[in-house]
Amino acid sequence: MLKKILIANRGEIALRVHRACQEMGIRTVAVHSTADASAMHVRLADESVCIGPPLARDSYLNVAAILSAAAITGADAIHPGYGFLSENARFAEMVEAHGLTFIGPTADHIHMMGDKIAAKDAMRKLNVPLVPGSPGALESFEEAREIAERIKYPVLIKAAAGGGGRGMKVARSAEELEEAWQVARTEAKAAFGNDAVYMEKYLDRPRHIELQILADTHGNVVHFGERDCSLQRRHQKLVEEAGSPALTAAERNALGAQVTAGLRQLGYRNAGTLEFLYQDGQFAFIEMNTRLQVEHPVTEMVCGVDLVREQIRIAAGEKLGYGQEDVQFNGHAIECRVTAEDPESFAPSPGRVNTYHAPGGLGVRVDSALYSGYAVPPHYDSLVAKLIVHAPSRPQAIARMQRALDEMVVDGIKTTLPLHRRIMADAEFQSGDYTIHWLERFVARG
Ligand code: ADP
């Protein structure tokens, strides 16, 4: 078993990994920027190393500093969390080249799935259904126009290296296509240093449904059901549920069987999430994330599994030790992402938190690195807390979330707590009948 893990991340996810390590008797090394010297992940870790100035590219993305920190502390593995270096194939490769264990998939699989065109190709070969679109990268504007006419508007131009909803532009007509083509490529180049783009049919009322899987290095692949992440703003998730209010157990099992068989064939290892759009009873693959997801806790609550613990066990070469039939789905879980943002304009609101009070009680979980007196730095992602509830049914989970939201206090900065209270109280949300476009309209209504 691994003895000491360096956690190459910050905030709630660094704490999340630390907690799993503690329970497994594994020592932890925190890394931090100068802006995070008094952060909770640094306070709780067994050891910590400062890896650079506040800007992420100089610290949390600084591969040489992170590898040096692992060497001087004698860590034997690195957990990348999500974001930062978690989907950087080169980093995974370098970690292993330095004789350390990378807690995640192989560099080859990270590389393959990080290129969305290659990922779709791989899924096509495994007979996983895809959103109709261009067969590969668009070579020219003329090709884009031809394909758009064939698959019919509206269409979406997406960055091959995309992430976080960037480099994605909708064109509703031939007139809009030229601009979408230009803007998507410029954005993709600026954000990812790669202007390769492809086209998909823009679905008008899909849900975002994703499947959590775990694979060990002995050929065992198991899925942990779906998460419904349709509540999004600018293609970014705000609220997630497990399971989906729209899916039957038979649909879940059929998709799960197909996906696990495919990944077994690929020889995939560790945790992964396959994202689909779901409309009119059909699934269409959009991308695979080769890491732990922000919303993994809703799956943990419903399945009673510690996904980080499983990631560590898999990285240490252990067998899963259970099969698909052992995975049970109990009740319903919901997660609200609480960010340091104005709940109406979504302008960032970093600064000092005067009072922080976390809700509690049966079925309530808070994953957060906040504490009273903590100053949220302006340099990083605005996520400050994930509030997760679990209850026997969806209506009970909603009631529990409303109760927990009312108890929670983050005073001194603006947060999205008021927006979450409004969503939970909304009759349409409560009915479960929503698509990926619902939240945008809900926010606009005010
Ligand atoms: P990113 O990696 O940037 O997050 P994704 O491919 O995962 O990009 O898509 C993010 C979100 O964008 C999806 O959850 C969905 O809401 C929307 N989206 C992506 N592809 C389509 C599509 N073909 N039609 C409609 N919406 C889409």
Side-chain angles (χ1 to χ4, degrees), residues 116 131-132 156 158 162-166 168 192 198 200-204 206 208 229-230 232 235-237 275-277 286-287 289 436-437:
K116 294 181 171 194
V131 184
L156 195 57
K158 299 174 81 170
R166 281 172 306 172
M168 203 187 293
F192 314 110
Y198 62 107
E200 274 179 3
K201 171 100 186 141
Y202 184 65
L203 301 183
D204 56 350
H208 173 118
C229 312
S230 302
Q232 304 180 351
H235 309 302
Q236 299 263 49
K237 301 160 188 169
E275 298 191 333
F276 296 87
L277 296 179
I286 48 173
E287 69 161 337
N289 291 317
I436 58 165
H437 305 300

Side-chain angles (χ1 to χ4, degrees), residues 1-8 14 17-18 20-22 24-31 45-47 70 73-81 100-103 308-309 311-313 315-316:
M1 191 28 100
L2 304 170
K3 292 195 177 60
K4 195 190 267 193
I5 294 179
L6 181 141
I7 304 165
V17 176
H18 166 79
C21 292
Q22 287 271 292
M24 297 173 82
I26 298 171
R27 292 180 61 79
T28 57
V29 180
V31 292
D46 295 308
E47 290 168 68
T73 54
D76 46 13
I78 295 188
H79 194 302
L100 303 165
T101 301
F102 179 75
I103 303 175
V308 177
R309 183 186 183 95
Q311 283 192 293
I312 294 170
R313 286 206 311 114

